[in-house]
Amino acid sequence: MKKIALHWQILIGIVAGILFGALCIQFDGGRELVSDWIKPFGTIFINLLKLIAIPLIIVSLIKGISDLKDVTQLSSLGLRTFGLYILTTFIAVTIGLGMVNIIEPGNFISEDTRQEMLQSFGGEVGEKVEQANEVKGERGPLQVIVDIVPENIFHATTSNGNMLQVIFFSLLVGIAMISLPIDHIRGLKNVLDSGYAVVLKIVDIIMMFAPYGVFALIITLIAEAPSIDMFKALGMYAVTVILGLLVLVYGIYSIIIYSFGKMNPFKFFKGILPAQLLGFSTSSSAATLPVTMECAKENLHIRKEVLSFVLPVGATINMDGTCLYQGVAAVFIAQVMGYDLTIAQQLSVIATSTLASIGAAAVPGAGILMLVIVLESIGVNPAGIALIFAVDRPLDMLRTATNISGDSMVALLMNRFGMGRTTLQRSNATYIKPNAEE
C-alpha cells in the first residue's frame, strides 16, 4: 500500500467496501456482523480525524496570522474570503433551484409512495423538527454573533461543534501577536512552529489507516441503508441533486479556477482528490480538514498563512453543496406535497439558504434547522422532510465533498488575490519557486 498514492488507496477502500457490503446484506446475520465488528473501526477512524481538527486549527491559524505583516493584511484576506464564500453559496442555491424546476422530480413519486415515506419517517422527523423549532425560538437576530464569542475557551475546545468559537479565539491570539514586537513573541512562534510540525505528523500517521477506515464506513453505509424500493422512488430527486453538484463543481468551479485561479482544473481536482474522497466517506468537512489543508499545501502550493485561515473558516461556514441540496430539497418537498411555489417564494429560498448557512454551524442540529427555516420561509410543512430521509446519507456524502472542493477553490483564489501584490510576489518567491518547473 505504501507504493500506491493516497487517493488510489482510498478508492480501493471504497470499492472494496461496496462489494463486501453488498455481500454481507445477502446473508442472515450479515448486518449484525457489520454493526458489531466492522462499524466500530469506521467510528474510530472518524474520531481520530476529529481528534486532531481543533489542535490543527489552533496552531495553524495562530501561526498563519502571526506570520502576516500587519492587521491590514488580515482584514483584506478576511473580507475577501467571506465575500467569496457568500457568492459561491448564492450561486450553488441558484443552480439547485434551476435543476429542480427543470427536472421536477416531485412529479415522479406516486401518492402511495409519498404516504409510505411519511409514515416510515414521520415520527423521527417530527421529533427533530420540534427540537429545531425550540432552538430557533430561543434565538434572537444577533444570537449568531453571540454564539461566536466563547465565555470559556477551554470549554469551547471540548466539542468540534464550537469550531467558530475556537477560530475566534485563535484570531484574537494571532492579532495580538502581530501587534507586538517580534522579541516579545519569538518564543511563542517557535512553540507554534513545533506544534504545527507535530500536528501534521499526527495527520500523516492517521492517514496510514485511511483506506481501512473508509472500507469500514462504506460497508456500514450499505448495511444500514433503507430498502431499495425507497431508493428507486427517490431516484429522480437524487439524480437532480447529483447533477446540480456536478454542474457546480466541475462546471462553475472549473471556470473560476481556470479564469481567476490561473490553474488547470484537472490539476486542481487531482490535487484535492484525497480530501474529496475522504469527505465523501466521512460526511464531515471538519473531520476532513487536516487532509484538505495538507492537499492545499502539498499539491496546490497554497501559502500556509492563506490556507490556515481560509480552510478552517470554510469548513465552518461554507456550505455550497449543502445549500444547493437545501434548494432542491425545499422545492422537491413542495412539489410532492402539492404546493405551487411562486417566483418570489423561490427567491426567498435563495436568500434564506444563503443566510442560514452562515450561522448554522454554531447551532445544534444544523442541517435540519437549515431546512426547517427554508421550508417555513415558503410556507411548506416541515414534516415533508420525511420524504428525503431515505437518501439523505449518500447525498450528504456528496455534498460534503462539494463543500471541501469549494473551500479549496476559495483558498486558491485567496492565494492569488488575498493580500496585495507586494506580499503575493514576496511569498511566491519563497514558497512557489521550488515547484516552478511544474
Side-chain angles (χ1 to χ4, degrees), residues 50 82 96 161 184 187 202 213 220 244 262 274 324 338 356 367 404 438:
K50 290 182 177 180
F82 188 75
H184 292 186
I202 293 175
T220 303
K262 302 301 180 184
L324 184 149
I404 291 168
E438 296 180 5

Side-chain angles (χ1 to χ4, degrees), residues 6-15 207 210-211 214 274 277-278 281:
L6 177 61
H7 62 275
W8 287 116
Q9 295 183 36
I10 296 176
L11 273 174
I12 292 172
I14 291 174
V15 173
M207 291 312 297
V214 167
L277 292 173
L278 197 60
S281 305

